[in-house]
Amino acid sequence: MRRCKKCGAPAVIYMRQHRLGLCKTHFLEWFVEQTERTIRRYRMFTREEKVLVAVSGGKDSLSVWDVLVRLGYQADGLYIALGIDGGIGYSAASQRLSEKFAAERGLTLHIVDIPGEYGLGVPELARRSRRGKGKPCSVCGLVKRHEMNRIAHDMGYDVLVTGHNLDDEVAVLFGNVLQWQMGYIVRQGPVLPAEPGLARKAKPLVRFYERETAAYALLRGIEYIYDECPFAQGAKSIYYKELLNRLEEDRPGAKLQFYINFLKAKEEGWFRDPRAEDGPVRVVLHRCESCGQPTTAPGKCAFCRLMDQVGARPTTAEA
Amino acid sequence: MSQDKQEKTATLQLRDKTYTVPAGLRIREAIRRIGLTPESYLAVRDGELVPDDERLRAGEVIRLIAVISGG
C-alpha cells in the first residue's frame, strides 16, 4: 500500500511527476501551500489587492476560489451565464453550483446573464454569426474574455483569476507550437500584466496537473459540475489533453517539464521580437471605438463586431 | 455473475458504464486494459480516493472519475 510521505498514513494520491504520495490531510495542506508559492513565485497579487475569480461551476474555478479564501485573499466570484442548455440544463446547473458554493461560504458572487444582457445566449450568437462554423466554443471564449474584463475593470478589481491548471496550459501551448503561433506563444504565462483597459490575469493553479485539481475538489467536498459542456465534445483542447496524458503515462513529468522549460526559455529571453532591438514579442493593442476595450486591430473589437453582425445589443446598462 | 467469477474479478465503473477486469491487477493497469489513459482518471474505492497503483480486490467496484475538462 502506498503511504503518505509526510505521516505514513495510507495515501489517497500518488503524483508520479513529483514521486510524492500523500494522505488526504497532507494533500489538502500541500495543495494550499503550493498555490501560495505559485502566487508569490510569479508575483500574481497580494492580500491588499481585490481579486475577481472567474467561476464556471467546474472543479478548477471552485477549487481556486476555495484556496484563495483559505489563504486570506480578498476574492469575489464572477459567474457568466452563457445560456447553454444542451438538453441537460448545463448553464443552469453550473450557476446553481456556483451560487451554492458562494452561499455556503458567505462569499460575494457577481452574475452576468448573457441572454439577459445581450438578448441572445452563446449558442444563438454562434448560430447567427460566421464565427465558429456551428461550434460555439470560439464565440463562447470571446464573450467570456470580454465580459470578464469588463466586470473586472468596471468594478475596480485589481486582478482577474482563472482556474487554469497545467493541463490546460500545456494543451494550449502544444496547439500553438504545432502551428508556431508566436504571437500567442509569447503571451502565454501564469500571469499576464495589466495593460490600459485590460485587467491583470493570473492562474494560481498553473503548476497542478488536472487530476490534482480534481482530487482537491473531491477531497474538499466541493460539489462541482461533472458533466462536460455539451459543446466540448470533440474539442481540440480535449484531444490534446488526451494525447499529452498518453505521453505522461510513458514519461512521468513530461507535461510539467514541457511547461516549466517553456517558461524558463521565455524568461531567458529566447522569445524576442525580430522587429525590435530588445524585449519580448509584443502585440500592439488599440482601443475599441465602441466599448473601449483593447483590441489587436484598429476599429471595433471582435466582441463588438460579433454583436453588430448578429444584431445583438446590450439590454441593460449595468451588469 | 457467478460467485466463482466474482471472486476473480473486479468492476470499474465510469459514469453509466461498467467494465469487468481481473482482480489482482493494479488499478492503473486495469484502466489501460479497458482502453483508457490512467492519467485522465481518479479512482474511488468505497467513497475514498485511492492511488491507482493499488491492487484490485476480488468483487469490489472502483468508481472512475474523469478529470479532463475543457473546450
Side-chain angles (χ1 to χ4, degrees), chain A residues 49-258:
Chain A
E49 290 182 297
K50 276 179 71 188
V51 175
L52 183 64
V53 182
V55 176
S56 67
K59 63 185 191 312
D60 303 298
S61 57
L62 293 180
S63 292
V64 75
W65 197 8
D66 176 275
V67 174
L68 294 189
V69 171
R70 281 174 194 281
L71 286 168
Y73 288 99
Q74 303 177 52
D76 294 342
L78 166 65
Y79 178 82
I80 301 175
L82 301 160
I84 296 173
D85 182 77
I88 54 169
Y90 183 74
S91 285
S94 312
Q95 182 170 340
R96 184 183 61 77
L97 291 169
S98 304
E99 286 175 330
K100 184 170 180 264
F101 179 93
E104 283 172 356
R105 291 158 179 81
L107 303 173
T108 301
L109 177 67
H110 305 289
I111 295 177
V112 175
D113 178 41
I114 297 299
E117 195 90 2
Y118 296 99
L120 296 170
V122 161
E124 191 54 29
L125 286 170
R127 254 193 301 273
R128 291 194 189 186
S129 74
R130 290 186 294 271
R131 207 181 163 105
K133 293 172 187 155
K135 277 291 254 185
C137 304
S138 150
V139 167
C140 187
L142 175 66
V143 168
K144 283 193 287 194
R145 281 192 299 276
H146 186 275
E147 293 301 278
M148 287 189 297
N149 196 55
R150 178 173 72 86
I151 301 298
H153 181 265
D154 291 357
M155 301 188 91
Y157 285 94
D158 299 295
V159 59
L160 180 67
V161 158
T162 56
H164 289 95
N165 56 54
L166 189 134
D167 291 47
D168 294 319
E169 292 300 288
V170 163
V172 168
L173 180 61
F174 183 68
N176 286 335
V177 167
L178 281 182
Q179 301 285 334
W180 290 112
Q181 298 268 19
M182 289 307 292
Y184 291 132
I185 291 170
V186 80
R187 277 179 58 81
Q188 190 176 350
V191 57
L192 297 177
E195 300 198 35
L198 211 54
R200 186 187 334 146
K201 292 191 182 74
K203 305 165 187 172
L205 303 186
V206 80
R207 289 178 74 109
F208 293 115
Y209 279 10
E210 190 145 27
R211 65 200 319 273
E212 291 151 20
T213 61
Y216 182 83
L218 220 67
L219 292 167
R220 194 60 94 187
I222 295 171
E223 204 185 331
Y224 66 88
I225 185 134
Y226 183 56
D227 284 320
E228 192 52 84
C229 170
F231 293 110
Q233 212 176 18
K236 222 187 285 175
S237 60
I238 294 181
Y239 172 64
Y240 289 154
K241 282 184 179 182
E242 267 297 337
L243 272 182
L244 290 157
N245 274 350
R246 275 187 244 161
L247 173 68
E248 182 75 19
E249 191 62 23
D250 296 333
R251 299 173 63 97
K255 289 186 296 189
L256 182 64
Q257 288 308 313
F258 182 47

Side-chain angles (χ1 to χ4, degrees), chain A residues 1-2 11-13 16 59-60 168 209-211 214-215 218-219 224 226 228 232 235 237-238 241-242 245-246 248-249 255, chain B residues 14-15 28 32 36-44 48-54 57 63-71:
Chain A
M1 178 189 278
R2 180 78 59 185
V12 294
I13 190 165
R16 297 195 307 159
K59 63 185 191 312
D60 303 298
D168 294 319
Y209 279 10
E210 190 145 27
R211 65 200 319 273
L218 220 67
L219 292 167
Y224 66 88
Y226 183 56
E228 192 52 84
S237 60
I238 294 181
K241 282 184 179 182
E242 267 297 337
N245 274 350
R246 275 187 244 161
E248 182 75 19
E249 191 62 23
K255 289 186 296 189
Chain B
L14 174 61
R15 295 197 168 96
R28 197 169 194 91
R32 245 183 250 129
L36 302 175
T37 311
E39 191 63 27
S40 304
Y41 299 89
L42 290 173
V44 175
E48 300 288 336
L49 197 60
V50 284
D52 57 11
D53 52 2
E54 291 273 316
R57 299 169 189 158
R63 189 162 66 93
L64 300 180
I65 313 257
V67 301
I68 289 185
S69 62

